[in-house]
Amino acid sequence: MLVSHKSVWRRRISLRSFLSFVILAALLPPLSLLALVVVRTAETDKVAAQTTLIDNAKVIASMVHGALLSDAQTMETIGGYASSSADDPETELALASKHFRGEATLVPADAALDHWTVSNLVDIRPGESARLVFNVPIKDGKGEALKLTADSTAVSNKISFGKIENQTLVAVVDGNGNMITRSAAAAENLGKRVPTWEALLEVGAPTGRFDAVAFDGTPISFGFASIEGTPGWVVVVGMPKAVLDGRWQNPLKAFGIGVLVALIVAVLLAFILSRKITGPIEAMVARSHAIGRDSKSALPDAPDAIVQELHTLYRAQMNSHERLIQRGNELELSSKRYRAVSKVGAMVTWRADVHGNAIDVEGWEEFTGQRTVAALGRGWVEQVHPEDMPVLNEALALAAQTRAPTVTAEARVKNKNQKWIWVNFRGAVITDTEGEPAEWVGTLEDIDDRKRLQLRISHMAYHDALTGLPNRVRLAEHFEQMQLPQNAGHACALLYIDLDKFKQANDTFGHAAGDALLKDVGARLNNILRETDLVARLGGDEFAVVLSHFENVEYSTMVATRIVKTLSTPFEIEGNTIQIGASVGIAVFTTGQVSIERLQFEADRALYRAKSGGRNRWSFDTSEDDDGQIRA
């Protein structure tokens, strides 16, 4: 009876129903894993979207600090001239008052004042005007400071927010919550209290984010960052919460809809596939009976199976067993190939031999415009940037040497519009039956936007925004590299350059002409120097040059002479002929034998000697003492 019950149960299960159940059961684990990936990705994207506001606020806060620092250096220079002028200091002070649309005076310096300070907004007339008070110590040994009460717009108009996304608002707020400037309607909101100031203070940190509601009821997300060197100033970056949330919610919704559609399609395909499979199997069962009747020898008994049709199918397939073994060896290589491709993804898919000769490419012609047949062999190399080919060759050679299963490298490829596009070469090795490398398969992924953004951010961090020259950060890094043990013992020189008569030219022809003049100065300095030398802009009209690896000290004086002569040649700026000059201080040193601070001190003192000697000349630091008055 027990056997009879089992037989009845087996006959009631159709192959079609069994296959449908197996397919749906197989889909359950990957769908569960996919759901988990979606949730984790959404959480990561949400945090990244919120962090973007804070990162933007930090970048802009750094730019605002740079603008304030530049103004403070200008004030210090003017104050120094006024303090050292025994006859008519008011003339220099009047220039500062005019430039900053305020009132400049010399006052006794507070003993605790060792660097410039700036106040919060004072004399506020909301929506009309406000003032800022700067106190800048003058390092001339007289114990004086320049006190400048400036029009806030004369300072804020120099602040650049860079490229701002649509529906994004940026504001600079003082330590009392009053608006200094912002990216839109700055004049109308000058001096007005920021309505979200209390919410910002509740965060209790120099940087952070918070949410608030606008006057019209729109939820807004804010990110903020404190500005260095100020009494509590902050940069606030705001964006509608719906726009910010849309950056991670919209892809999540689209992905969710796609998963739902895929699930529905998978269910339909499961039933359709089961119908398509059972039809051929039933036909094969009928042929198996015929083969069995024509066979001269009996086939082995079929194993016990829950599905009767599968048991019969097994007996019919025994005749083709040897042929399937042969075919299996042929398909194994193909199976490995396409499994590897599925792991690395596909924009352009490719196959190549172990020497890098292309065997097959798909999508290459659409991407590069080069015909597929022309790309085979080594033809694809024509579309790769010459500077990046060594990177690819080295990556393949290293993978072959270490027997690595995969390889990846970044390079530029010329697309069909004749533009160099950054791509990521990804590849996986395919082995033969003996485990030896047989060929490579892989893809090309377009990473141009990400790569160019990385390069742009890196360039901004190490270069002056106006001239494109290396900045103080890059100069300090260059010094650190020169001080490494492997670079010790070389004769080098640091040259400090200060432009003569630049301020007069800037005041006479305007700031735009002054900026253009600084750019031309940078270009002329670059033309003078060797590729191994470095020129940097320190700020304002100050530059620095590092001469590396020369035979004798006369080389430094020769370069200094060329700098003075070159910068004394008139400049043609916007139809005007501008005549300036340059004073150069030279500090010669041997790498590894002097500190960076000492070297900068000697170069600064040499520059002072050059300016004291009548300007438009160069000088060494020949003083034996370190008296602060000499350095000034």
Side-chain angles (χ1 to χ4, degrees), residues 141-280:
K142 295 182 179 180
E144 293 182 320
L146 177 68
K147 180 178 181 180
L148 177 62
T149 302
D151 189 326
S152 65
T153 59
V155 178
S156 63
N157 287 343
K158 302 174 185 177
I159 298 175
S160 172
F161 297 127
K163 184 178 181 181
I164 300 176
E165 298 182 50
N166 190 24
Q167 296 185 326
T168 300
L169 181 66
V170 181
V172 180
V173 184
D174 73 1
N176 295 324
N178 298 317
M179 188 77 70
I180 298 175
T181 184
R182 67 182 211 167
S183 58
E188 293 86 340
N189 291 276
L190 174 62
K192 294 183 179 179
R193 183 149 179 102
V194 176
T196 58
W197 182 247
E198 284 71 20
L200 185 149
L201 294 178
E202 290 179 0
V203 177
T207 61
R209 61 170 302 276
F210 61 92
D211 295 327
V213 179
F215 292 117
D216 59 357
T218 303
I220 305 294
S221 290
F222 293 93
F224 68 90
S226 299
I227 302 174
E228 180 185 353
T230 64
W233 292 18
V234 295
V235 171
V236 183
V237 180
M239 178 181 291
K241 196 171 187 301
V243 176
L244 186 65
D245 290 344
R247 293 184 175 182
W248 62 273
Q249 289 178 349
N250 291 340
L252 178 62
K253 292 176 182 177
F255 196 79
I257 294 173
V259 171
L260 180 60
V261 172
L263 179 60
I264 295 174
V265 171
V267 172
L268 293 176
L269 287 177
F271 288 98
I272 294 173
L273 186 60
S274 65
R275 292 176 60 88
K276 290 185 175 294
I277 290 177
T278 54

Side-chain angles (χ1 to χ4, degrees), residues 286-326:
R287 293 185 63 186
S288 297
H289 284 296
I291 293 173
R293 287 191 298 269
D294 295 337
S295 177
K296 295 181 179 180
S297 58
L299 296 175
D301 293 336
D304 192 15
I306 194 172
V307 179
Q308 182 63 36
E309 293 87 349
L310 291 178
H311 177 73
T312 307
L313 179 61
Y314 173 80
R315 290 185 296 162
Q317 290 176 336
M318 287 294 293
N319 292 330
S320 58
H321 183 252
E322 292 181 358
R323 184 174 61 88
L324 289 177
I325 292 178
Q326 180 182 357

Side-chain angles (χ1 to χ4, degrees), residues 76 109-117 135-139 145:
E76 182 181 356
D110 190 337
L113 185 65
D114 60 352
H115 65 279
W116 63 272
T117 63
N135 279 289
V136 182
I138 301 172
K139 300 176 182 179

